[in-house]
Amino acid sequence: MRVYHFSEQAYYPAWNEHSGTLRVTFPNRKCDPRVAADLLHRYYDEWQLCDELGLDIMLNEHHQTATCMSSSVVIGLGIVARATKRSRILVLGYPIGHRPDPLRAAEELSTIDVISRGRLDMGFIKGIPYEIAASNRNPTELMDRFWEAHDFIIKAMTTHDEDFNWDGEFFQYRHVNVWPRVWQEPHPPIWSTTGSSTQARVLGERGYVMATLGTGYGTRRIYDAYRKSYMAKHGRAPGADRFAYLGLVAVSHDREEARRRGHLIAGYLRTSPIVALPFRNPPGYVPPEDNARMLRGETPPRTYTKDGRVISMQFASVDELVDSGVLFCGTPDEVYAQIVDFCGHCGGMGNLLMMGQGGELTHEQTVDNLALFSREVLPRLQAWQQPDAEAAAVAA
Amino acid sequence: MSVASSSEAPSLVVGGTRIDWIEKGAGAPLLFLHAENGIEPARAAIDELAGHARVMAPTHPGYGRSELPKGMRTIDDLSYFYLDVLDQLDARDLTVVGVSLGAWIAAEIAVKTTARMARLVMANAVGVKVSDRETRDIADIFALTEPEYIAIAYSDPKVGTRDYKALPDGEVLAAARAREATARYAWNPYFHNPRLKSRLHRIRIPTLFLWGSQDRMLSEPYGRAYCAMIPGARFETIDRAGHFPDHEQPKVFAEQVLAFARGK
């Protein structure tokens, strides 16, 4: 199993100063650039530490928000590509449907792959609903744009002998020829995220690494949708390395300290949904049939505990978060047991995206959290035997 | 007449695209182009108009149960679709009446040709940019909750408020489709075409701007500035109506439209 450390790079000092929204329209007057600089340097120090600890690294981006200061993820990728030597560097993700210029995206990612000497994992994502305001992209055509940008970037990364022409629906170029060319052949591994079985089937056909977030003990259903379409397309079962899961991780030899850390990291879950209502569901972001159900007040639950209870990630207690597999929390033995139990339930899961820092967890706590995890949990996870992939796929 | 009837509702097929199509009344022909809230809120006004005219009222592609052809993304695309509709019907001497987004479609048709049109009515019309680049002419309805939106769009919010739990499934789905279709056509540039203003001088048929005077999604000065861009266009207000005067004051709306259609 690989483990990627992730932080949203939150500007948490402003979290208590909002009046109903931490995103989109929360005034940047609340951001002190000196405080922001200290925090950003601190977060990058923690990623640099991962390189020494044997952990991999994951970065993302969001816009116009105190929950995440990474508004242009290629900047962070550039920093860690230069400042680390061993860690894989995962971007999850790069919202390519929002970008005005996929050629620029191909150039940026190729350069990062080269600077890191082939350590880039390339996650392409649709982006959460609140990102629409920052790009002003038409949400009704975002996925069509996404797939055209995807096709273009792959073509740009895999064409080496002559420039090519592109007259697409959304993007047009006459001479595409990316320098430097990518380090990893034919291109860096592609990842994506989803919460829906429909999209899981699409990703399974393509064989991309699929990550879910907050799906808890409802994850198996989405993985199985992937397994079925992967099997149908490729004639064999997808390995555990095709699956990734974002979980919060808080570990300490002192149980009470672990719970305190868990509570602080879960500040991410408590603040992330604080956004003015209309920005939560832009028109066309989900199909009209789903919107019709929402108009009637019917919203499907997202997160389940192992015994089938529905929880709200925003308001859940530490215990509920542990019960649902959203948070792995406790002593190293307990955290190891929780993670492998979850992976077993999923039928195999080979990439833990570990939120090892979140919210108000201090630098000292984070360093201890990451160091203890890498010392006492990671080696055991790496040695752990994943469930049989064929059996999981047949059961799907 | 190429109107096909299904068991559910009459429809019209144009260039392979099926749209819902209301046709009722007798007299001079009148094409009614509904606003961004769909055809349902306009039914009473259509009935009033049909008392004295032969009313044709399509449901735009992407709204209600009307199909959405692949690649149809702009009001300009819709205007060509309706030019095909008018050709197929061989319409003559039409009074074209549009409300809000429907008026924008009407303007985009009329700048191309008014050959089949006698008169044009633009009610609480969107479609142009009037103020400077940092002034929002049109409220960002996608950044409002539904109650907030209803409060600025209606003179009497009770008229615009819908109880989705009580409505039939088809109408709830139509409301969801209307929101999506409106975003498809009007997201960016927001409810306007930057090229339209420089083309409006081509409209040389009698034109009436009707304005629900309690509209707080658009301002009356916006409407008057828009009106001044069309040579000889007249401006009249409708009291106790907001952004959708056809929905809030169907009788008064129809009277003013019909009086204008008769040449008064």
Side-chain angles (χ1 to χ4, degrees):
Chain A
M1 186 183 300
R2 302 199 74 98
V3 180
Y4 294 73
H5 164 58
F6 168 59
S7 165
E8 285 260 311
Q9 308 179 57
Y11 189 89
Y12 59 78
W15 279 3
N16 291 325
E17 297 181 35
H18 72 89
S19 48
T21 190
L22 278 170
R23 298 178 185 266
V24 188
T25 54
F26 185 47
N28 66 25
R29 171 72 64 199
K30 306 287 186 187
C31 173
D32 179 340
R34 288 155 199 83
V35 175
D38 288 346
L39 283 171
L40 285 168
H41 280 286
R42 180 212 136 173
Y43 296 138
Y44 285 108
D45 287 345
E46 290 161 9
W47 272 309
Q48 256 182 284
L49 175 66
C50 291
D51 200 44
E52 297 165 27
L53 296 175
L55 292 165
D56 297 312
I57 291 170
M58 167 180 154
L59 289 94
N60 74 338
E61 76 173 48
H62 291 295
H63 298 263
Q64 305 188 176
T65 175
T67 64
C68 173
M69 285 190 289
S70 174
S71 56
S72 171
V73 73
V74 292
I75 292 172
L77 295 174
I79 293 170
V80 297
R82 168 70 182 156
T84 61
K85 293 276 185 276
R86 298 187 300 173
S87 303
R88 296 287 305 171
I89 302 166
L90 165 65
V91 50
L92 199 66
Y94 201 25
I96 53 173
H98 287 271
R99 285 291 109 88
D101 181 357
L103 174 54
R104 177 78 176 211
E107 289 174 331
E108 290 165 347
L109 294 172
S110 297
T111 306
I112 286 157
D113 197 38
V114 170
I115 293 176
S116 68
R117 300 184 199 275
R119 290 183 288 131
L120 178 66
D121 289 318
M122 202 163 60
F124 296 144
I125 55 156
K126 177 184 182 183
I128 53 174
Y130 334 128
E131 311 304 335
I132 301 279
S135 71
N136 205 20
R137 216 49 80 196
N138 192 322
T140 68
E141 56 190 33
L142 190 57
M143 280 318 281
D144 292 340
R145 251 183 95 91
F146 172 92
W147 283 113
E148 189 182 324
H150 160 278
D151 294 348
F152 174 85
I153 291 169
I154 302 307
K155 170 92 178 168
M157 286 183 168
T158 53
T159 301
H160 304 306
D161 297 323
E162 57 182 351
D163 59 303
F164 69 89
N165 185 76
W166 188 275
D167 286 315
E169 188 179 358
F170 297 100
F171 309 109
Q172 298 80 30
Y173 303 95
R174 293 207 287 281
H175 302 282
V176 181
N177 177 26
V178 171
W179 281 73
R181 61 182 269 209
V182 285
W183 180 287
Q184 298 174 89
E185 291 287 347
H187 54 73
I190 298 178
W191 295 47
S192 194
T193 54
T194 190
S196 83
S197 299
T198 310
Q199 184 68 0
R201 282 189 281 273
V202 174
L203 297 176
E205 263 186 32
R206 291 180 181 265
Y208 294 163
V209 182
M210 178 181 76
T212 67
L213 149 70
T215 44
Y217 278 91
T219 305
R220 178 72 188 246
R221 178 181 56 83
I222 301 169
Y223 282 13
D224 281 351
Y226 182 103
R227 289 188 172 103
K228 271 192 246 179
S229 74
Y230 187 100
M231 280 283 272
K233 177 82 177 180
H234 304 278
R236 58 190 155 82
D241 68 337
R242 297 297 88 191
F243 300 103
Y245 179 75
L246 193 142
L248 285 54
V249 174
V251 61
S252 170
H253 284 300
D254 174 355
R255 270 209 187 87
E256 281 315 302
E257 173 62 12
R259 292 177 66 83
R260 267 195 297 279
R261 290 180 187 178
H263 177 77
L264 290 173
I265 296 170
Y268 158 67
L269 302 174
R270 291 189 293 274
T271 53
S272 195
I274 300 176
V275 55
L277 191 61
F279 297 117
R280 292 180 201 175
N281 182 26
Y285 194 83
V286 300
E289 291 74 14
D290 291 354
N291 276 320
R293 279 189 284 276
M294 279 188 246
L295 284 172
R296 287 199 189 278
E298 302 158 12
T299 44
R302 179 176 177 200
T303 307
Y304 295 91
T305 61
K306 194 174 181 184
D307 58 6
R309 282 174 289 132
V310 173
I311 66 147
S312 149
M313 281 201 295
Q314 188 177 8
F315 303 110
S317 67
V318 165
D319 286 335
E320 285 174 321
L321 292 172
V322 171
D323 289 347
S324 59
V326 170
L327 167 67
F328 304 113
C329 178
T331 63
D333 286 348
E334 288 169 338
V335 165
Y336 168 75
Q338 289 164 12
I339 292 172
V340 298
D341 181 69
F342 181 79
C343 292
H345 177 85
C346 291
M349 191 285 288
N351 301 281
L352 176 64
L353 312 177
M354 166 175 102
M355 185 174 244
Q357 195 285 329
E360 296 171 74
L361 195 76
T362 66
H363 178 64
E364 291 68 29
Q365 286 172 309
T366 304
V367 167
D368 190 65
N369 201 35
L370 297 177
L372 183 58
F373 182 91
S374 66
R375 205 167 53 238
E376 299 193 23
V377 184
L378 180 64
R380 287 197 273 169
L381 288 178
Q382 286 167 334
W384 183 65
Q385 184 69 38
Q386 295 277 349
D388 181 62
E390 293 291 339
V394 169
Chain B
M1 181 52 84
S2 52
V3 176
S5 280
S6 75
S7 57
E8 290 182 345
S11 60
L12 183 70
V13 179
V14 179
T17 298
R18 194 206 64 78
I19 58 168
D20 279 357
W21 180 263
I22 296 170
E23 191 161 340
K24 66 201 302 186
L30 187 150
L31 178 73
F32 178 86
L33 299 173
H34 68 75
E36 58 273 20
N37 55 355
I39 195 79
E40 287 301 328
R43 284 198 186 273
I46 290 167
D47 288 346
E48 292 288 342
L49 291 167
H52 302 275
R54 185 163 67 84
V55 179
M56 293 165 277
T59 298
H60 307 319
Y63 289 81
R65 282 168 304 185
S66 293
E67 293 171 357
L68 178 71
K70 191 168 166 40
M72 189 171 279
R73 286 159 57 180
T74 65
I75 298 295
D76 187 53
D77 294 335
L78 276 178
S79 74
Y80 281 103
F81 177 82
Y82 281 119
L83 284 167
D84 287 348
V85 171
L86 299 188
D87 285 350
Q88 182 169 316
L89 299 174
D90 194 21
R92 306 283 165 98
D93 295 322
L94 267 182
T95 294
V96 176
V97 182
V99 182
S100 187
L101 179 129
W104 181 9
I105 301 168
E108 294 274 11
I109 297 169
V111 297
K112 294 175 180 82
T113 173
T114 52
R116 296 186 182 278
M117 293 163 60
R119 289 170 177 269
L120 173 63
V121 179
M122 306 271 289
N124 293 71
V126 294
V128 294
K129 176 74 193 162
V130 167
S131 306
D132 66 81
R133 64 188 179 185
E134 290 176 30
T135 304
R136 203 177 275 149
D137 284 335
I138 304 163
D140 185 358
I141 60 171
F142 298 115
L144 300 175
T145 61
E146 183 150 326
E148 288 167 344
Y149 165 57
I150 299 292
I152 64 163
Y154 282 83
S155 170
D156 178 3
K158 283 200 294 295
V159 178
T161 302
R162 284 179 283 195
D163 178 1
Y164 293 109
K165 288 201 164 101
L167 283 177
D169 286 346
E171 277 191 50
V172 180
L173 184 60
R177 286 196 89 207
R179 185 165 179 262
E180 177 169 326
T182 300
R184 180 176 299 275
Y185 297 127
W187 187 269
N188 189 24
Y190 184 65
F191 273 108
H192 75 285
N193 170 5
R195 311 306 312 148
L196 181 59
K197 193 154 54 173
S198 65
R199 298 170 185 167
L200 289 171
H201 69 275
R202 292 173 44 80
I203 302 176
R204 295 187 193 91
I205 54 172
T207 299
L208 170 68
F209 272 70
L210 271 183
W211 213 261
S213 52
Q214 275 86 53
D215 188 354
R216 278 158 294 147
M217 181 182 151
L218 297 173
S219 69
E220 193 175 311
Y222 173 90
R224 289 187 182 276
Y226 196 168
C227 180
M229 294 169 196
I230 297 177
R234 209 163 89 198
F235 194 91
E236 292 176 8
T237 56
I238 298 180
D239 200 21
R240 293 197 303 280
H243 187 63
F244 306 105
D246 57 325
H247 189 194
E248 281 199 276
Q249 298 295 338
K251 224 177 174 57
V252 180
F253 174 84
E255 281 166 11
Q256 288 184 236
V257 167
L258 291 166
F260 175 71
R262 284 192 296 267
K264 289 179 186 162

